[in-house]
């Protein structure tokens, strides 16, 4: 047998012969292409400053939306939640976000574009490893909850999650179920 040593604290996961430690780090290091949930912290005429749980704030240009023009662009208030893609993330430069959905020809104003403002519901933060589990296409917890509840969920690779359900009671129940599922096996 071979011995292994963990170099980071976390949850031990076994899958057949493979053993891995899910790191519980909370600091998000942005990479180009990541989809993130951010909070608008400052607004100016040309750009929004957005908190994405990174070491430095990110910037979302006001025209970085499908079919946005100087006259027809979204206006977000401080505190608004946005789902965006990291466009550029260099360690020494500002992080740039975009809400342009390459797969959609629809304008931002239709509300049918994947990226943009997240209205209603609530947001909460999870460990980055937990966010990756929720993003898996075959996430057991979300599949199981989907059998009994109607809900919308938006998970950012930065560990921020947005959740909405038909009632406040269902939203809180779903939030608690999702939070309590981390560290458990599918059977639990």
């Amino acid at each position: 047998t071979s011995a292994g040593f963990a170099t980071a604290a976390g949850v031990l996961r076994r899958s057949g012969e493979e053993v891995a430690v899910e790191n519980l780090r909370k600091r998000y290091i942005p990479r180009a292409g990541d989809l993130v949930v951010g909070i608008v912290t400052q607004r100016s005429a040309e750009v929004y400053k957005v908190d994405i749980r990174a070491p430095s704030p990110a910037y979302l240009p006001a025209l970085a939306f499908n079919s946005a023009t100087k006259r027809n662009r979204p206006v977000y208030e401080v505190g608004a939640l946005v789902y965006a893609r990291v466009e550029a993330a260099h360690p020494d430069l500002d992080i740039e976000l975009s809400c342009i959905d390459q797969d959609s020809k629809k304008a931002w104003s239709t509300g049918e574009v994947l990226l943009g403002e997240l209205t209603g519901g609530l947001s909460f933060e999870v460990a980055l490893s937990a966010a990756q589990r929720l993003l898996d296409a075959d996430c057991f917890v979300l599949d199981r909850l989907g059998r009994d509840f109607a809900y919308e969920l938006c998970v950012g690779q930065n560990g921020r999650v947005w959740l909405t359900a038909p009632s406040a009671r269902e939203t809180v129940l779903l939030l608690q179920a999702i939070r309590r599922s981390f560290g458990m096996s599918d059977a639990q």
Side-chain angles (χ1 to χ4, degrees), residues 101-115:
D101 187 355
Q102 308 291 349
D103 301 330
S104 177
K105 301 285 185 227
K106 299 197 183 260
W108 68 269
S109 56
T110 63
E112 298 175 28
V113 182
L114 175 68
L115 303 173

Side-chain angles (χ1 to χ4, degrees), residues 52-172:
I52 59 168
R53 296 182 72 196
S56 61
Y59 294 90
L60 176 62
L63 297 178
F65 295 84
N66 286 26
S67 303
T69 63
K70 285 210 177 255
R71 288 181 179 228
N72 179 25
R73 61 183 179 192
V75 177
Y76 297 145
E77 297 299 322
V78 171
L81 281 173
V82 291
Y83 190 49
R85 184 179 59 256
V86 176
E87 199 65 32
H90 190 276
D92 299 325
L93 301 174
D94 291 335
I95 302 161
E96 187 176 335
L97 302 177
S98 172
C99 285
I100 296 175
D101 187 355
Q102 308 291 349
D103 301 330
S104 177
K105 301 285 185 227
K106 299 197 183 260
W108 68 269
S109 56
T110 63
E112 298 175 28
V113 182
L114 175 68
L115 303 173
E117 186 176 20
L118 300 169
T119 55
L122 57 84
S123 72
F124 58 99
E125 294 178 0
V126 297
L128 299 179
S129 58
Q132 290 304 319
R133 286 186 67 198
L134 291 173
L135 285 166
D136 285 343
D138 58 344
C139 178
F140 178 81
V141 174
L142 297 182
D143 289 344
R144 182 64 188 93
L145 290 172
R147 292 185 203 162
D148 299 322
F149 297 96
Y151 66 91
E152 278 186 71
L153 184 81
C154 187
V155 181
Q157 289 171 291
N158 59 340
R160 190 170 279 136
V161 182
W162 171 80
L163 170 69
T164 186
S167 71
R169 179 180 178 275
E170 289 178 35
T171 303
V172 172

Side-chain angles (χ1 to χ4, degrees), residues 37 153 176:
V37 176
L153 184 81
Q176 290 174 343

